[in-house]
Amino acid sequence: MDAMAELGAGSLLLGDPAFNYQEHELNERLKRLYPAVNEDETPLPRSWSPKDKYSYIGLSQNNLRVHYKGHGKNHKDAASVRATHPIPAACGIYYFEVKIVSKGLDFLSSLLPLSPILGWDKHSYGYHGDDGHSFCSSGTGQPYGPTFTTGDVIGCCVNLINNTCFYTKNGISLGVAFTDLPPNLYPTVGLQTPGEIVDANFGQQPFVFDIEDYMSEWRAKIHGMIARFPIGERLGEWQAVLQNMVSTYLVHHGYCATATAFARATETLIQEDQTSIKNRQRIQKLVLAGRVGEAIEATQHLYPGLLEHNPNLLFMLKCRQFVEMVNGTDSEVRCFSVRSPKSQDSYPGSPSLSPRHGATNPNLHSAGADSPTCSNGVTPPNKNKSHNKYPGISSASSSSSSSPSSVNYSESNSTDSTKSQPHSGTSNQEETRCVASDSEMEIEAEHYTNGVAENPSARIMNGTYKHQEILQAQDISLEDSCASRQLCGGNQAATERMIQFGRELQGLNEQLCREYGKNVTHKKMLQDAFSLLAYSDPWNCPVGQQLDPMQRENICSALNSAILESQNLPKQPPLMLALGQATECVQLMARVRSGSCSFARVDNFLH
Amino acid sequence: TKCVHLSPVSLSEVTATSRHYVDRLFDPDPQKVLQGVIDMKNAVIGNNKQKANLIVLGAVPRLLYLLQQGSSSSELRAECAVVLGSLAMGTENNIKSLVDCHIIPALLQGLLCPDLIFIEACLRCLRTVFISPVTPVQLLYTDPTVIPHLMSLLCRSQRTQEYITQIFSHCCKTPEHQTVLFNHGAIQNIAPLLISPSYKVRMQALKCFSVLAYENTQVSMTLVNVLVDEELLSQVFVRMMQRDQPIDMQLTAAKCLTYMCRAGAIRTDDSCIVLKTLPCLVRMCSKERLLEERVEGAETLAYLMEPDVELQRIASVTDHLVAMLADYFKYPSSVSAITDIKRLDHDLKHAHELRQAAFKLYASLGSNDEDIRKKITETENMMDRIVSGLSESSVKVRLAAVRCLHSLSRSVQQLRTSFHDHAVWKPLMKLLQNAPDEVLVMASSTLCNLLLEFSPSKEPILESGVIELLCSLTQSDSPALRVNGIWALMNMAFQADQKVKGEIVRALGTEQLFRLLSDPDSNVLMKTLGLLRNLLSTRPHIDQVMSSHGKQIMQAVTLILEGEHSIEVKEQTLCILANIADGNTAKELIMTNDDILQKIKYYMAHSNVKLQLAATFCISNLIWNEEDGSQERQDKLRELGFVDILHKLTQASDPNLCDRSDTATHTSLPLSFSFSLHKTDAHKHAHCVVGY
């Protein structure tokens, strides 16, 4: 009989549009209710388990309907079924409902919504319909609530923050039933008399009780707790810490003028000297503009020995340089170009320049890697590979070196309002200051003249902006270049130079292999880069993503960190460390079953 | 001596500086006056002493003069209003002085000026003055142009919105005020403010609606149809009750919906009441809330569910409310007394309020459902708490406690058990000796129930000399007290022995009894007739009473049957006749009174079945076969044409009546017929009491 019920369920699963719709509803609702739950680690209960049940229990309707098929003569005939999974702690507050479809013959229906092990006895918690008593870990019942019968909807809410539980009847909270609940409870239902039928709602339908309202209270409570967290006598210290965090962040990303202004206003000191900051800034800008060759040169010039000691980094840079050659942006190929490199040399608004958080990026709330842009100035190395929302951050605390630290650059803000005058001069660096129309932020626009007559001003946006705007900017730039987009800018000499460079790169790889042994990452990198040549239109090929200017950010940030490290400065700004620490803590809270993590999510606090 | 010497000097010094500020207001140079006002503003901020000094030195009339002068610059006028507003922020005495200087009309006049800054300063000051308890709110309504002008200023700025709505919510104290504000478009003007970006504005607008809707059907009925940004107002209120909203907002929104519901604008089974308002109010009663919030929450909840048993049932199972309320009696808590004097003071201040709120809520919860009453009486020390509440010093607590007791006294089971076990009649009797009328009404109502025949408290109460007390109540000016007095006597007389009945008649006095029979309040009349019926039960009693008071009783009965009275009163009167007809000697009083017999005949043919039935009972008793002289009576009645009527009645459509007339024609009535009739009817009364 069990099998039949399950079979029925199985056939329903396939292609029933109503069911698919319900499934969709369920997923949406669960995502909304329990955003902090990582279902890869801790799946949510979605139906009763056909495996974990008494034989007297029959399941139907996608394992949501439970009916009793035993004799129901005495208490020994009682039977129960539990849900497929225990309640994850990261829910914070968990809720499900059961509708009494039919009460059976006598008044001995009961509900045991929580039970780590199947059954009536140890560690189970229940609310019985016949007498309204609550039962806790066997023993006698305590008077708790009203009785319930056919047509009633009974809900059970587990608060994993304070480890209590309350039941609801027809949308009315009956008050706390149990305290000090153990972890890993399963939603469970128990029946005892023939004819009893109950339907579960794990989120398939809207709940009768307004659980979201209840959650909002706890969210507000926990946010209040965080906001009012006592810092005691460290109040003065607190401000210094915050100022230091802001300052180091600005310095790290080379917002030189802003950092100086901030230091002046807050009367703090910047550890790194101005020249060093500007040097880093310059190198970063070169990388972001796709002029990796120049960036390597500048690095070798300014930080002799750095790349020699970091052969992996050098290899990455060279690989990137090759890609940029294909792109036609690297100066080694661009010098051959006769046409104006207007479209290529503009860095089309990296979407991940400055931290952008929850509010502007709706994708952020969904776990997984569906977002091409990412917050906190970190770009996932590859959108298909990234599993972690904060790769840069997790690396900070989990000591994996898989992803580079955050990237952030600023030269000028606003895509089109910056019209840096093409100052031609002999000086390598010339500072122009201008003020954006709607912001009082100081802007530095720098110009590089490397003997090439061009307008090198990179279009890099700063601050926060909407997702759509970025996409638009990209669309425009793609359109721009589409017509004239050709390998190495379409120049024969440049192509030859590229091929020669490719050989050199191959040589470098072989050399590295000899010195340090085989490196899978390098091999893959090289393969990917060379694959670009296999397609007539590299921009529209399976590996074409490499050509995306956004791909420059990782290498740029890796280079920046390496420079900082070589100067005995932290390779990550403390702000990002703190952010990573906080994020990791919240995830850890979920693992150690501290329910408040669901309402203390870091992105709730980033605006 | 040094001290004595020093203090006048420093005082005069203070006065001197204050004097200087005032003097500067009289400078001929307007620029210097302005600077003087600004300096004064800076001097008075947060300085109550300085404020008092300036008021004593006559700064207020001068400031008002400057404020009203057309020649004053708008800057000066605004600064004057600011200083006045600052002075109003001081003590209550300051406010009194300002009001005495006619600041209100002057500021209201100032509102006619187009300058927004000046208007805001005036409104701010007016707000401060009007929210003070010492200001008579009527001053807002003296000039009929003020309210419409204030309405028109609502659109000027967020500040005008905040101040004006705050003034309205504090000055709307009577149904007349509600009507004035309503007629001037308060609802349409204030509703959009509920979605203002400013929390203060939203909150004050919400408070306005709560005072406007309170016990006001017109306002409430209008409110349910109001749309704010395409959303129904009730939904806006529901959103404001969300659990993450500030408590003040949740509570006030719940009040609005409660008042709309009580005024009949929202059904009690509407989900916004059952699933939102009620749970919200229950939450307000929880331990986590401030004491003030718990008081307001409990009172509002009591009011919400008072008339609806279903809401009472839902509330009784929501979040352990009944147990939660028990905590209201634990203030001041023993812990706070030792650790924190401030806390103790706070607790003490609210302890009475908490207790009375809890009693009110218990009273409301238990007013209909027997299971809930049981749950309440089973709450820890509940009966003891009520008993001690009855003798508390605070009238409010005593009243609430007796209300609670009254509510619980509607339960037959509780009367038999917990009421008797805790001898609640003792404090109740004490309460009745000397209490304000509203307490007396509740206490005597409760006493009525305690005097029901099945109540074990009846005996001890009788022995405590309650009869005199009840008789004095029947002489009260308050109809409610008269009703309760006579009602209690009626219950007491039911199936009582001759001694008690005699005592009642003696204590009440026939004069008073007959005065009550002509009482303008029909309830009093009904209960007096009920008392008379209970006195006239069982044959020996009937004969005894009739032999001493027969003449007056027959007169009174005649008068009532002739007068303009309700069917119920006439039915009751005919039943008295039926009882008299059951007596041995008493029946002669009817048989010899042709006038009465004609009246009985008339009612036997009445269109109302109840009256026909009662009149027929009476005849049945008169012609009862087994008694002496029945033949003569039957003959006489036959002569008068009663038999024809009875025959007609046997064909009547009403089976009851048909049956009675049938038995009457065959003169085979059941034994002690009048008694059984009486008994059932008295029970009806008893249950009336229970349901009162």
Side-chain angles (χ1 to χ4, degrees), chain A residues 212-256:
Chain A
E212 286 174 66
D213 194 25
Y214 179 74
M215 285 174 160
S216 77
E217 183 181 355
W218 277 88
R219 189 173 298 116
K221 249 184 220 176
I222 285 166
H223 284 197
M225 217 146 84
I226 293 167
R228 287 189 300 274
F229 184 79
I231 49 170
E233 287 158 20
R234 294 172 53 209
L235 199 62
E237 230 177 288
W238 200 256
Q239 192 176 11
V241 167
L242 290 178
Q243 286 171 348
N244 188 32
M245 279 199 156
V246 174
S247 171
T248 47
Y249 181 79
L250 294 171
V251 169
H252 180 93
H253 293 299
Y255 297 111
C256 186

Side-chain angles (χ1 to χ4, degrees), chain B residues 178 205-214 237 252 255-256 259:
Chain B
Q178 289 173 333
L206 187 60
K207 284 195 170 151
C208 257
F209 282 122
S210 80
V211 292
L212 282 169
Y214 180 65
F237 291 150
T252 315
K255 275 183 170 178
C256 287
Y259 299 157

Side-chain angles (χ1 to χ4, degrees), chain B residues 143-162:
Chain B
D143 178 352
T145 63
V146 166
I147 300 294
H149 186 59
L150 286 174
M151 293 290 174
S152 74
L153 289 176
L154 276 174
C155 59
R156 292 296 294 275
S157 72
Q158 281 188 8
R159 285 203 186 88
T160 65
Q161 290 166 356
E162 182 196 334

Side-chain angles (χ1 to χ4, degrees), chain A residues 125-392:
Chain A
Y125 299 85
Y127 166 32
H128 286 215
D130 53 344
D131 55 7
H133 284 189
S134 65
F135 286 79
C136 161
S137 302
S138 78
T140 52
Q142 293 287 316
Y144 168 67
T147 57
F148 52 86
T149 184
T150 302
D152 285 330
V153 175
I154 302 300
C156 174
C157 177
V158 184
N159 184 329
L160 298 128
I161 301 163
N162 59 12
N163 297 316
T164 60
C165 153
F166 69 83
Y167 293 91
T168 66
K169 179 183 170 183
N170 300 327
I172 294 289
S173 159
L174 304 176
V176 171
F178 308 110
T179 57
D180 305 303
L181 288 175
N184 278 333
L185 293 161
Y186 284 84
T188 306
V189 65
L191 306 176
Q192 196 177 315
T193 48
E196 276 178 337
I197 302 171
V198 298
D199 277 353
N201 177 10
F202 294 106
Q204 281 83 359
Q205 269 134 38
F207 292 118
V208 180
F209 177 73
D210 191 346
I211 187 63
E212 286 174 66
D213 194 25
Y214 179 74
M215 285 174 160
S216 77
E217 183 181 355
W218 277 88
R219 189 173 298 116
K221 249 184 220 176
I222 285 166
H223 284 197
M225 217 146 84
I226 293 167
R228 287 189 300 274
F229 184 79
I231 49 170
E233 287 158 20
R234 294 172 53 209
L235 199 62
E237 230 177 288
W238 200 256
Q239 192 176 11
V241 167
L242 290 178
Q243 286 171 348
N244 188 32
M245 279 199 156
V246 174
S247 171
T248 47
Y249 181 79
L250 294 171
V251 169
H252 180 93
H253 293 299
Y255 297 111
C256 186
T258 313
T260 318
F262 183 80
R264 210 184 307 124
T266 55
E267 294 173 358
T268 50
L269 288 172
I270 295 176
Q271 284 192 324
E272 197 179 356
D273 66 68
Q274 288 244 3
T275 340
S276 166
I277 301 172
K278 280 183 182 155
N279 283 339
R280 282 194 293 111
Q281 197 179 25
R282 205 185 114 214
I283 291 167
Q284 289 186 60
K285 270 184 250 180
L286 286 170
V287 177
L288 288 180
R291 290 151 54 185
V292 184
E294 286 168 72
I296 294 170
E297 233 168 76
T299 310
Q300 282 164 340
H301 173 69
L302 292 164
Y303 303 98
L306 175 85
L307 291 175
E308 283 78 355
H309 290 117
N310 284 295
N312 288 342
L313 181 62
L314 179 66
F315 184 78
M316 272 167 73
L317 281 163
K318 293 259 183 192
C319 270
R320 185 70 214 172
Q321 188 180 359
F322 179 81
V323 172
E324 295 300 346
M325 282 175 152
V326 175
N327 219 356
T329 40
D330 192 81
S331 39
E332 286 208 43
V333 299
R334 204 155 47 167
C335 61
F336 298 106
S337 176
V338 280
R339 60 178 195 88
S340 161
K342 211 186 272 174
S343 62
Q344 274 91 346
D345 70 352
S346 61
Y347 177 66
S350 157
S352 56
L353 287 176
S354 270
R356 248 173 320 100
H357 307 294
T360 52
N361 188 350
N363 295 324
L364 229 154
H365 293 282
S366 50
D370 50 355
S371 164
T373 65
C374 85
S375 64
N376 306 331
V378 182
T379 307
N382 182 322
K383 70 173 184 178
N384 305 323
K385 274 192 288 183
S386 136
H387 292 298
N388 194 316
K389 260 185 290 177
Y390 305 107

Side-chain angles (χ1 to χ4, degrees), chain A residues 55-57 67-79 103-109 120 191-196:
Chain A
S55 55
Y56 286 162
I57 292 286
H67 66 267
Y68 184 79
K69 51 183 191 179
H71 309 294
K73 285 189 183 118
N74 56 42
H75 271 281
K76 279 178 192 155
D77 292 326
K103 176 112 173 86
L105 298 172
D106 60 18
F107 288 88
L108 273 165
S109 166
W120 297 75
L191 306 176
Q192 196 177 315
T193 48
E196 276 178 337

